[in-house]
Amino acid sequence: MTRIIGTSEDEIKIAAETLKNGGTVVFPTETVYGLGANALDESAVRKIFKAKGRPSDNPLIVHISDLNQLNELVSIIPESLHMLAEKFWPGPLTLVMKKSSIVPDIVSAGLSTVGIRMPDHPVALNLLRHAGIPVAAPSANISGSPSPTQADHVIADMNGKVDVIIDGGDCRVGLESTVLDISGEVPEVLRPGGITAEQIKSVLGEIKIDKFIYGKPLDRSAKPKSPGVKYKHYSPKAEVILFDGDLDMVISEINTQANKLAEHKKVGIMATEQTKNSYSCGLVISSGDRNHPKTIAANFFKLLRNFDEQGVDVILIEGVDKQGVGMAIMNRMIRAAGHNIIQCGS
Ligand code: TXA
Ligand code: MG
C-alpha cells in the first residue's frame, strides 16, 4: 500500500523514517519528482529498480542536503567541485565523480563514478535533512515514459509500487538536472538540463559536450559514458514526430502533415504562444513562450502526458532553438520522438 501525504513537518518526518527503514519515497524536486531510497542500502536501492522497471546498467543519482556528505561518497574531490557547488548547488546540476567504496555497485551500475546533486526544493531538502542519509533517486516515472512533474503523474505511474508519495505540487524546472562529469581532465556534459552549458562555461571555461546529446540511440551492448542515453526515453503512448528548422517552414510542414494524418488519426500539435493560431486542424496546445524557453521546459513532459490522456494518436512537435535551456529541451524532444525528425528548410 502506498501512503500519499502532504508536506507538513510531521508528514516529512514520516517519509524520512520510511527512508531510514529501507523503504521507498517519491518526493518533489525543482526538476522532476524523484523515487528515493537509502543510497547506502543495497536492498533498498533494489526496490527502486523494481518499481520503475529500470535496466540494472543505468546508474542512479545520489541526493544530498549538505556538502559535508560528499566526503564519504567520493574518493577524489576535483578542484572544480567547490566552484560549481558554490554557484549551482542547491540546483539542477548533477556532478559525476570517482565514487568511494561505501557507495554500493547497484547505485553506480558497476561504474567507478557516482552522480551527486543537491536539489533546490524546500521539501526535498527538508526530507534529506530529517533522513540524514544520502538518497538515491531517479525520476519517479515508469522506465521509458515521460518524467513526472506533478503528483498525479507520479500516482499514475507509482501508486502501489512505492511506500510513500509526497504531493509537493508542480516542479518548477520541469526537465531533469544537467549531468556533468568532472571525474576526468576536461569536464563533460553528459545530459543537458536545468543548468545550461553556457552557465557552466562561465565558471569552468572550456567544457566538452557529449556527442550523444542529439545523436542516435545506441544498441544495447554499447557503453556510452551516461548509460541512460542508450535507452528509449520520455515516450508517451502516442507516436511523436519532431519538426526542426526554419519556423515558417515548420508551421507549413506541420499543417500539411496534420491534414494528411487527420484522415485516419487523432492529431495533436505541440505549438508555442507565438504559433498556436497558425494551425488549421488537430488538437493544438501551446507549450510556452519562445522568448522564454524555460516556460517550454516546464510544460514539456506534462503536455506529453496530456496528449495521451486526450487519446491523441500522433503528436507533431515544433522544435526550438538549441541555445541555453533549448539544448535540454531539444534533447528531450528528439528522444521523445525516438529520432523521428522532419528537417524543414536548411
Ligand atoms: O533532475 C534529476 O536529475 C532527477 C531528480 C529526481 O533529481 N533525477 C533523474 O535521475 O533524472 P534519472 O535516473 O532519471 O537520470 C539519471 C541520469 C541517467 O541518464 C544516468 O545514466 C546518468 O544520469 N548517470 C547517473 N549516474 C551516472 C554516472 N556515474 N556516470 C554517468 N552517468 C550517470
Ligand atoms: Mg529518468
Side-chain angles (χ1 to χ4, degrees):
M1 247 267 296
T2 300
R3 263 181 99 167
I4 300 170
I5 62 175
T7 59
S8 72
E9 195 67 9
D10 284 347
E11 289 167 306
I12 297 302
K13 281 183 186 162
I14 293 170
E17 281 306 309
T18 305
L19 288 173
K20 283 200 264 187
N21 294 330
T24 47
V25 174
V26 175
F27 60 97
T29 82
E30 81 281 27
T31 58
V32 302
Y33 274 80
L35 164 47
N38 181 353
L40 305 182
D41 177 347
E42 188 184 324
S43 69
V45 173
R46 200 171 296 127
K47 295 176 189 169
I48 295 177
F49 284 88
K50 185 156 180 254
K52 276 184 66 91
R54 182 178 176 104
S56 61
D57 66 350
N58 195 3
L60 305 180
I61 293 170
V62 176
H63 296 69
I64 59 173
S65 57
D66 188 318
L67 260 186
N68 291 324
Q69 288 175 286
L70 267 187
N71 298 326
E72 65 166 4
L73 297 170
V74 304
S75 58
I76 303 168
I77 298 195
E79 267 177 47
S80 54
L81 181 275
H82 291 287
M83 285 190 286
L84 291 165
E86 188 163 314
K87 185 99 194 210
F88 301 119
W89 277 2
L93 178 66
T94 295
L95 296 172
V96 172
M97 292 168 271
K98 291 279 175 217
K99 80 176 190 75
S100 75
S101 57
I102 70 160
V103 177
D105 284 340
I106 187 171
V107 171
S108 60
L111 297 175
S112 61
T113 53
V114 60
I116 300 181
R117 89 173 187 103
M118 191 186 290
D120 184 19
H121 193 291
V123 174
L125 288 172
N126 199 18
L127 173 70
L128 290 165
R129 284 190 197 113
H130 279 298
I133 45 174
V135 171
S139 49
N141 50 290
I142 292 171
S143 214
S145 69
S147 297
T149 58
Q150 304 177 171
D152 59 340
H153 302 162
V154 173
I155 292 166
D157 279 18
M158 289 298 155
N159 202 6
K161 297 183 181 169
V162 296
D163 296 313
V164 174
I165 294 173
I166 303 175
D167 181 346
D170 293 3
C171 301
R172 171 170 58 82
V173 177
L175 299 180
E176 305 87 342
S177 63
T178 304
V179 178
L180 181 72
D181 184 350
I182 54 169
S183 70
E185 261 174 37
V186 183
E188 181 167 14
V189 175
L190 304 184
R191 176 179 73 180
I195 299 292
T196 65
E198 290 86 346
Q199 283 176 289
I200 297 168
K201 276 185 202 156
S202 75
V203 174
L204 296 185
E206 224 23 64
I207 56 171
K208 288 193 281 187
I209 314 256
D210 188 273
K211 58 179 186 290
F212 295 118
I213 282 179
Y214 303 125
K216 287 265 178 209
L218 302 154
D219 68 75
R220 282 184 158 256
S221 60
K223 285 218 180 310
K225 289 188 194 141
S226 178
V229 303
K230 71 178 169 170
Y231 292 107
K232 189 169 178 239
H233 249 71
Y234 318 122
S235 309
K237 295 188 188 79
E239 180 190 353
V240 177
I241 308 173
L242 175 62
F243 295 75
D244 191 19
D246 172 76
L247 187 55
D248 288 332
M249 295 182 80
V250 163
I251 293 169
S252 142
E253 187 61 29
I254 290 181
N255 266 319
T256 306
Q257 294 289 333
N259 280 301
K260 235 188 266 171
L261 290 163
E263 285 170 21
H264 48 277
K265 284 183 174 170
K266 181 161 179 183
V267 176
I269 298 175
M270 195 187 289
T272 46
E273 285 306 300
Q274 283 79 3
T275 61
K276 64 185 179 191
N277 297 321
S278 312
Y279 296 104
S280 54
C281 85
L283 171 66
V284 181
I285 307 182
S286 164
S287 62
D289 179 350
R290 286 182 170 270
N291 297 326
H292 299 98
K294 282 184 177 176
T295 58
I296 299 175
N299 288 322
F300 179 64
F301 286 137
K302 177 172 72 185
L303 289 195
L304 292 181
R305 285 178 185 256
N306 282 356
F307 280 117
D308 270 351
E309 281 158 16
Q310 310 219 34
V312 161
D313 302 305
V314 53
I315 310 170
L316 311 182
I317 299 184
E318 285 175 9
V320 300
D321 192 2
K322 292 186 179 112
Q323 295 298 306
V325 75
M327 184 189 278
I329 300 170
M330 278 301 270
N331 166 272
R332 305 311 191 270
M333 286 180 167
I334 288 169
R335 304 198 49 204
H339 294 263
N340 195 0
I341 305 170
I342 294 182
Q343 199 62 46
C344 308
S346 52

